[in-house]
Amino acid sequence: MIGSSEKGCIFRSTHDENIKGESKVLIQERIATADQLPVTLPKATAAIALRDLCKSFGKFVAIDHLSLTVGQGEIFGLLGPNGSGKTTTINMISGLSLPDSGEITVMGYDIRRQARQVRQLLGAVPQETALYEELSAEINLDFHADLFNIPRKEKKERITRILELVQLLDRKDSRVGTFSGGMKRRLALGRALLHNPQLIYLDEPTLGVDVQARRAIWDYILSLREQGKTVLITTNYLEEAQALCDRLAIIDHGKLIALDTPQHLKHLYGGQVIELETITPTASVSQIRVLPGVKNVIQENNRLKVTTEGTDGLVPQIINLISQDSEFCDIAVREPHLDEIFLHLTGTALRD
């Protein structure tokens, strides 16, 4: 994960709780100052462009000829089961690991030659919030502001504005160790936004937070799009991906297996889901399976789930077949859930 990499000087210095005496001056020397970078970039420049990317660890192929593009101002979801290559991809985008072959550009910068500029443009919220828990919320942000050379005359105002944004201004002097999980995630998000990055990476942004905090964090993320920021999210919450993301990339075994909007993915791979409950289990399952347009049929006792390719007229045919040997308790027709699409594409086997 970004927050724990030994190679990423920015993220390790910012997030690692063991600074080991390294002075802020030495840290700052390794970070390009904001004044050296453009404030805005042409919209024609992709926020992220991966071209034929490959990465192996020994004989294990982590990324296998991966190509995709993320546009500026887009909330983009990167999904995949454990071991699919998500973390490896993010580490290469962040400059913490170099690809074996292929190209990566971030806001027009080549990650091989201009990793420092890329890191200055990137704000990150790793899965582990990695805040300094013995320090106050304000001091955590103050330290981060110094790392990124935010001018002293702007620093206090910017910290106040960020604390207001994440609704923690009234707790600015409180020790972070006393915060709830949701408060820590909000502070970590605020810290990532403090230096006004063009690209924000969020790894499981609502992991371990309650429903109210999750909704608040979703609102913050959606507001970033309104500001023209680009957001890259990795998440295992399919509901979250559907609520936030303009487009999704699903990768597995290091390969891109689907790339589209959540709605279009559901249309392409889902069709309709017909859920039926009968008084007794129906004997018509084999006949339903061979109907044109039926993709899958799952029977659990007196419950039946039929997945279709969106073919009209299937519901009456299914009802007619079942009514010959059983009586209905309930019938529902819905769109497929995104997690059903995910399992269809990646399989149901557990991954380590």
Side-chain angles (χ1 to χ4, degrees):
M1 290 297 176
I2 288 178
S4 59
S5 172
E6 294 290 335
K7 298 179 181 179
C9 61
I10 288 182
F11 301 106
R12 185 166 184 266
S13 301
T14 305
H15 298 143
D16 193 346
E17 294 194 16
N18 298 309
I19 303 177
K20 300 180 180 178
E22 188 171 25
S23 71
K24 289 184 180 180
V25 173
L26 290 176
I27 297 171
Q28 288 167 339
E29 288 176 354
R30 296 186 297 183
I31 304 176
T33 62
D35 292 340
Q36 295 173 319
L37 298 173
V39 176
T40 57
L41 291 143
K43 277 290 183 181
T45 302
I48 302 169
L50 311 181
R51 302 180 187 90
D52 207 25
L53 207 60
C54 294
K55 180 71 176 180
S56 297
F57 298 95
K59 294 182 179 180
F60 175 70
V61 179
I63 302 297
D64 189 359
H65 299 280
L66 178 63
S67 297
L68 60 86
T69 300
V70 179
Q72 286 190 52
E74 187 172 24
I75 300 180
F76 190 91
L78 187 62
L79 310 180
N82 291 338
S84 62
K86 299 190 304 294
T87 300
T88 302
T89 300
I90 293 298
N91 285 344
M92 289 191 288
I93 291 171
S94 307
L96 304 183
S97 176
L98 291 177
D100 297 333
S101 62
E103 298 179 7
I104 304 175
T105 58
V106 178
M107 297 296 184
Y109 291 105
D110 187 314
I111 196 65
R112 294 180 186 275
R113 297 181 291 104
Q114 298 164 302
R116 177 186 287 184
Q117 288 91 328
V118 169
R119 291 170 184 163
Q120 183 66 32
L121 287 167
L122 177 65
V125 180
Q127 196 172 116
E128 298 294 332
T129 48
L131 298 160
Y132 299 108
E133 299 213 350
E134 296 304 313
L135 303 179
S136 70
E138 185 174 38
I139 293 176
N140 266 272
L141 295 183
D142 185 273
F143 181 79
H144 188 79
D146 286 348
L147 292 180
F148 280 87
N149 267 351
I150 294 175
R152 183 177 296 273
K153 62 182 180 180
E154 298 178 17
K155 183 169 65 172
K156 185 173 181 58
E157 179 185 352
R158 198 178 294 190
I159 288 173
T160 299
R161 190 166 64 247
I162 288 293
L163 287 169
E164 287 177 337
L165 171 69
V166 297
Q167 300 178 32
L168 290 173
L169 186 59
D170 60 335
R171 297 293 300 273
K172 68 183 181 68
D173 297 320
S174 299
R175 189 169 59 85
V176 170
T178 66
F179 285 7
S180 68
M183 294 166 68
K184 290 177 182 178
R185 295 303 282 175
R186 280 151 47 201
L187 182 61
L189 179 58
R191 179 185 60 187
L193 299 175
L194 189 62
H195 63 289
N196 194 29
Q198 299 287 333
L199 172 64
I200 298 98
Y201 161 58
L202 308 173
D203 186 8
E204 300 287 350
T206 60
L207 181 68
V209 305
D210 60 30
V211 174
Q212 289 82 1
R214 179 177 298 174
R215 182 61 59 179
I217 291 171
W218 284 7
D219 289 341
Y220 302 146
I221 294 170
L222 290 171
S223 72
L224 295 174
R225 179 171 53 198
E226 296 172 6
Q227 300 170 38
K229 306 291 187 186
T230 304
V231 184
L232 177 63
I233 297 175
T234 57
T235 179
N236 286 321
Y237 296 128
L238 281 301
E239 177 193 5
E240 183 164 81
Q242 184 168 331
L244 297 177
C245 297
D246 300 307
R247 288 191 303 148
L248 302 173
I250 300 177
I251 63 174
D252 199 14
H253 301 294
K255 295 183 178 181
L256 181 68
I257 59 174
L259 174 62
D260 216 319
T261 65
Q263 192 63 31
H264 201 223
L265 281 173
K266 291 196 294 183
H267 176 74
L268 284 176
Y269 297 102
Q272 290 182 324
V273 177
I274 305 166
E275 295 178 322
L276 309 103
E277 183 178 354
T278 54
I279 293 176
T280 57
T282 180
S284 305
V285 173
S286 59
Q287 294 171 277
I288 294 171
R289 283 199 173 103
V290 298
L291 289 175
V294 171
K295 293 171 61 177
N296 190 32
V297 180
I298 298 174
Q299 184 178 37
E300 294 181 355
N301 298 320
N302 60 333
R303 294 179 179 273
L304 201 67
K305 184 169 81 169
V306 182
T307 305
T308 78
E309 294 177 330
T311 305
D312 294 332
L314 270 175
V315 174
Q317 295 180 62
I318 292 170
I319 290 174
N320 183 55
L321 287 170
I322 293 175
S323 62
Q324 295 175 19
D325 62 35
S326 188
E327 296 182 21
F328 290 97
C329 296
D330 189 36
I331 303 173
V333 181
R334 61 170 175 83
E335 287 187 332
H337 300 310
L338 199 57
D339 56 353
E340 292 170 323
I341 308 301
F342 183 82
L343 292 173
H344 170 72
L345 291 170
T346 64
T348 59
L350 293 176
R351 311 282 183 91
D352 294 323

